[in-house]
């Protein structure tokens, strides 16, 4: 892999601020790069989502940093597949994507929903490629624990129905991985770095299941507050204004928290 200066990276990224395809092993990945800031931000979308997951904040982030968004294999305009991928598989391809793009400095990884699973695996497996982590209402292997803790019998019935509904919608590449609920990396498997989690605790007027009841929302916030607090530089932001799609409901919150992370990095 050729080595190029950070100035060259910034200039080439600014020129290529249009969606494009790049070969990563046997697949083509759709990506877009914008901005020319000192810091590089990699955006990891939610489950079955492509680059459009970042539409509300992409241009705003580009005003402050070099920003990369992409569609994981099987999503967006990336190679369509039927093969099952785990979050660790996706993390491996994210690492290779950065290599293919000649990114030679650690990135700030911003992840939404299932992308949080990918981000946690990435942060543990590739510590030299990441310097900070921002997760937006990330999925958790412990979401089912919350439902069962509120009402075990009813919770198990709801979980079974949600699985059936997901299957009826068509199994996405990460479907089995999401429902396996395997333990994901936590601190100290993920190194000491600035870590921020924005979790939605917005109350729902007519909750569709136990997870969205007031008690469920409270426990969700407590879960992520405890998770972030384990990190020496961890921070949890609980928002009552946003639903699951924080970047659509409160784009300014996402950008402000990213700028806070950038400021922290500037002090080191």
């Amino acid at each position: 892999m050729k080595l190029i200066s950070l100035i060259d990276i910034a200039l080439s990224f600014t020129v290529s601020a249009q969606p494009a395809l790049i070969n990563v092993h046997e697949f083509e990945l759709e990506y877009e790069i914008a901005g020319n800031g000192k810091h590089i931000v990699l955006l990891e979308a939610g489950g079955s989502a492509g680059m459009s997951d970042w539409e509300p904040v992409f241009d705003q982030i580009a005003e402050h940093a070099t920003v990369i968004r992409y569609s994981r294999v099987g999503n967006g305009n990336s190679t369509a597949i039927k093969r099952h991928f785990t979050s660790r598989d996706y993390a491996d391809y994210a690492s290779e994507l950065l290599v293919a793009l000649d990114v030679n400095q650690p990135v700030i990884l911003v992840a939404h929903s299932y992308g949080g699973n990918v981000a946690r695996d990435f942060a543990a497996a590739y510590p030299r490629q990441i310097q900070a982590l921002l997760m937006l209402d990330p999925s958790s292997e412990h979401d089912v624990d919350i439902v069962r803790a509120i009402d075990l019998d009813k919770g198990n019935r709801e979980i079974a129905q949600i699985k059936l509904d997901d299957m009826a919608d068509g199994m996405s590449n990460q479907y089995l991985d999401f429902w396996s609920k395997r333990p994901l990396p936590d601190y100290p498997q993920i190194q000491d770095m600035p870590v921020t989690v924005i979790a939605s605790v917005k109350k729902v007027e007519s909750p569709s299941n136990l997870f969205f009841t007031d008690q469920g929302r409270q426990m969700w916030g407590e879960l992520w507050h405890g998770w972030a607090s384990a990190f020496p530089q961890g921070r949890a932001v609980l928002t009552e204004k946003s639903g699951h799609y924080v970047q659509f409901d409160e784009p300014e919150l996402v950008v402000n928290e990213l700028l806070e992370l950038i400021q922290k990095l500037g002090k080191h």
Side-chain angles (χ1 to χ4, degrees):
M1 180 183 71
K2 65 178 182 179
L3 297 177
I4 55 179
S5 70
L6 296 182
I7 293 177
D8 291 334
I9 289 177
L11 290 175
S12 63
F13 281 5
T14 304
V15 170
S16 61
Q18 293 292 330
L21 293 172
I22 189 168
N23 288 321
V24 179
H25 296 305
E26 70 272 41
F27 301 120
E28 284 191 327
L29 297 185
E30 172 191 35
Y31 74 98
E32 182 177 5
I33 303 173
N36 60 0
K38 170 184 175 183
H39 294 280
I40 298 178
V41 176
L42 176 65
L43 303 177
E44 191 69 54
S48 302
M51 298 196 307
S52 60
D53 208 22
W54 300 107
E55 200 63 39
V57 296
F58 183 70
D59 289 338
Q60 292 183 57
I61 294 174
E63 295 175 5
H64 305 282
T66 299
V67 57
I68 306 168
R69 61 175 171 174
Y70 79 107
S71 298
R72 289 188 298 272
V73 61
N75 300 326
N77 291 319
S78 294
T79 302
I81 58 169
K82 294 183 179 180
R83 168 183 159 188
H84 169 60
F85 270 72
T86 67
S87 56
R88 175 56 197 268
D89 291 330
Y90 282 127
D92 292 341
Y93 276 88
S95 172
E96 290 297 331
L97 172 66
L98 293 176
V99 172
L101 292 173
D102 285 330
V103 175
N104 299 306
Q105 70 180 74
V107 302
I108 301 171
L109 184 52
V110 181
H112 171 237
S113 191
Y114 175 76
N117 291 36
V118 180
R120 288 165 67 181
D121 274 324
F122 182 96
Y126 302 101
R128 294 183 180 180
Q129 289 183 286
I130 183 173
Q131 61 178 339
L133 178 61
L134 172 61
M135 299 198 296
L136 316 181
D137 209 40
S139 56
S140 169
E141 66 273 33
H142 298 298
D143 53 3
V144 292
D145 298 333
I146 290 174
V147 173
R148 289 171 174 143
I150 297 173
D151 187 322
L152 181 59
D153 291 338
K154 184 178 181 181
N156 281 333
R157 290 196 301 272
E158 289 185 349
I159 292 167
Q161 185 59 53
I162 293 170
K163 287 183 179 180
L164 290 174
D165 293 342
D166 280 356
M167 291 181 69
D169 289 339
M171 292 176 64
S172 57
N173 302 318
Q174 74 278 349
Y175 174 87
L176 295 175
D177 180 54
F178 178 81
W179 282 108
S180 69
K181 302 302 179 186
R182 63 183 175 86
L184 290 164
D186 297 320
Y187 181 79
Q189 294 165 286
I190 299 173
Q191 68 179 12
D192 178 9
M193 69 177 78
V195 172
T196 300
V197 179
I198 303 176
S200 169
V201 293
K202 183 178 181 179
K203 293 184 177 180
V204 178
E205 186 173 338
S206 300
S208 57
N209 53 59
L210 292 171
F211 186 69
F212 292 105
T213 61
D214 290 355
Q215 186 178 357
R217 297 291 78 205
Q218 179 182 343
M219 294 174 70
W220 183 244
E222 291 172 350
L223 167 69
W224 284 113
H225 182 273
W227 188 88
S229 297
F231 287 80
Q233 301 179 71
R235 167 177 165 82
V237 178
L238 308 183
T239 176
E240 296 182 354
K241 296 180 180 179
S242 295
H244 182 54
Y245 292 87
V246 181
Q247 68 272 37
F248 283 84
D249 294 338
E250 289 184 277
E252 68 286 349
L253 175 62
V254 174
V255 174
N256 288 341
E257 289 300 328
L258 176 60
L259 293 178
E260 287 279 348
L261 286 177
I262 290 175
Q263 187 175 22
K264 284 183 181 180
L265 293 171
K267 295 178 180 178
H268 292 277

